[in-house]
Amino acid sequence: MKFEKIEGLIAATFTPFDKDGALQLGIIPEYYSIIKKHKVVGAFICGTTGEGAALTFKEKCKVLESWAPYSSQDFKVISMVSGTSQKEAIALAKLSSELGLYGISMNAPYYFKPSNIDALLDFIDPIGEAAPNLALYYYHIPLLTNAYLSMLELLEKAEGRIPNFAGIKYTHNDLMDFNRCLRFGEGKFDILWGWDETFLAGLTMGAKGAVGSTYNFAAPIYHKIIDAYQKGDFTAALSYQEKSIDFVSLYGKYGGSATGKAIMKLCGLDCGSFRPPIKILSEKDEVSLLSELNLLKFFEYAIRNTIQ
């Protein structure tokens, strides 16, 4: 099967919770309107940013159902279906197909880990078969899965074996391997860049599409990077990338992934807190974070006071 390559920004969306930690899916229509307004071309749901690993199976189904109405040719919804359980992934892949999503994605199991590419493909195969009409993306994030396998070998062996294998969500810092994957089979597969703070590096290595959490609230700055890069103004492109680096560097100070949800709240959409064991920002932390973002003039180039 042949799928069109994604160009532009796919937001790795947050899963919204209320103050009690239950799903708050009623804000999805507003969420969609906000990111669509800022030229985001799709949503990657129930992934790392979406806390897929902390959601129950029923909760994942509800998230898929809530985003499904917005999946279209010009807004591609891709669901993360695994995980460590192949059976659960198969069920979620089937649901994704029934709901008419654009694609599915899966990472390497991170408890009982595949020792080689053949073992990984044995895990992926039946998941792909459960949604044969959807684009299948392998989610390469070895920092969390500890599956440091060759992506070039994955492409070589997936070709011809998994008909709906579309490409890789590449969240790793091996730029040489990334470029070789882009060029494999004369560019047959769609290799999506997954590191927001090194977005410009991905562009220089050939990336056309990217998936990231900060596109939820800072898509405008990445559009500026793309525009400057395409015009050959590398000084401006680097300047905008450095703005991304500066606010992403605050994540380590304020609790990692939860910082993204806190910034989204400051930008006008409250998605609640992350589930344990991720640190929850206190009110004091949020005030301090806002102060630091203001010093960086973050809101001059981020989503702000959007749909009200």
Side-chain angles (χ1 to χ4, degrees):
M1 296 180 67
K2 186 173 178 61
F3 297 94
E4 66 178 82
K5 292 184 179 180
I6 295 172
E7 294 191 11
L9 307 177
I10 299 282
T13 52
F14 301 107
T15 297
F17 301 127
D18 63 21
K19 59 182 177 61
D20 297 317
L23 292 178
Q24 186 177 225
L25 301 177
I27 70 172
I28 297 298
E30 180 182 6
Y31 197 158
Y32 163 75
S33 296
I34 289 171
I35 58 177
K36 185 70 164 60
K37 177 183 176 181
H38 288 85
K39 302 178 183 178
V40 170
V41 300
F44 187 90
I45 61 176
C46 294
T48 306
T49 302
E51 300 175 78
L55 299 177
T56 67
F57 175 75
K58 289 183 178 179
E59 285 177 327
K60 291 176 186 177
C61 291
K62 289 179 180 178
V63 175
L64 267 61
E65 290 164 357
S66 296
W67 276 102
Y70 307 105
S71 187
S72 66
Q73 189 62 29
D74 64 349
F75 190 87
K76 295 175 171 60
V77 178
I78 301 171
S79 61
M80 175 74 167
V81 297
S82 76
T84 57
S85 169
Q86 187 187 63
K87 288 188 178 296
E88 180 177 288
I90 289 170
L92 289 170
K94 287 180 179 178
L95 178 60
S96 298
S97 179
E98 292 167 2
L99 291 170
L101 302 189
Y102 174 76
I104 58 172
S105 183
M106 67 289 300
N107 53 235
Y110 43 82
Y111 191 81
F112 295 114
K113 301 176 181 63
S115 58
N116 53 50
I117 291 296
D118 291 323
L120 177 59
L121 286 171
D122 288 342
F123 177 79
I124 295 174
D125 265 343
I127 303 172
E129 290 173 359
N133 58 320
L134 302 191
L136 184 155
Y137 287 87
Y138 173 67
Y139 184 4
H140 183 47
I141 184 166
L143 180 66
L144 294 182
T145 63
N146 205 35
Y148 287 90
L149 302 173
S150 167
M151 290 300 95
L152 195 60
E153 183 183 355
L154 175 66
L155 296 181
E156 290 169 348
K157 292 187 173 181
E159 185 181 29
R161 175 170 174 174
I162 303 177
N164 57 329
F165 191 95
I168 299 170
K169 178 185 182 295
Y170 198 101
T171 308
H172 189 36
N173 54 14
D174 190 337
L175 287 164
M176 184 175 77
D177 181 53
F178 174 75
N179 178 265
R180 294 185 75 194
C181 288
L182 277 172
R183 291 185 288 123
F184 174 78
E186 297 183 349
K188 178 178 181 179
F189 292 104
D190 192 15
I191 314 298
L192 302 171
W193 186 248
W195 283 80
D196 306 12
E197 57 270 43
T198 56
F199 180 74
L200 179 57
L203 289 181
T204 62
M205 283 292 168
K208 302 295 183 183
V211 181
S213 64
T214 65
Y215 310 152
N216 284 294
F217 47 76
I221 189 172
Y222 296 99
H223 288 308
K224 288 181 180 295
I225 295 172
I226 294 170
D227 185 59
Y229 177 76
Q230 291 178 342
K231 290 178 179 177
D233 190 346
F234 303 117
T235 299
L238 180 57
S239 176
Y240 290 124
Q241 181 68 79
E242 288 169 349
K243 293 181 185 299
S244 166
I245 290 169
D246 287 345
F247 77 75
V248 171
S249 70
L250 297 175
Y251 276 51
K253 181 175 181 179
Y254 289 100
S257 299
T259 308
K261 266 192 172 178
I263 295 175
M264 194 71 180
K265 178 181 178 182
L266 294 171
C267 289
L269 188 73
D270 188 353
C271 292
S273 299
F274 263 66
R275 287 181 171 174
I278 302 298
K279 176 190 172 184
I280 298 174
L281 274 70
S282 65
E283 290 185 11
K284 183 179 178 181
D285 287 334
E286 290 185 0
V287 170
S288 179
L289 174 61
L290 175 59
S291 177
E292 295 208 54
L293 290 171
N294 282 329
L295 286 174
L296 294 173
K297 299 181 179 180
F298 170 78
F299 296 105
E300 291 182 7
Y301 51 80
I303 294 171
R304 182 69 159 160
N305 296 324
T306 50
I307 310 298
Q308 299 294 334

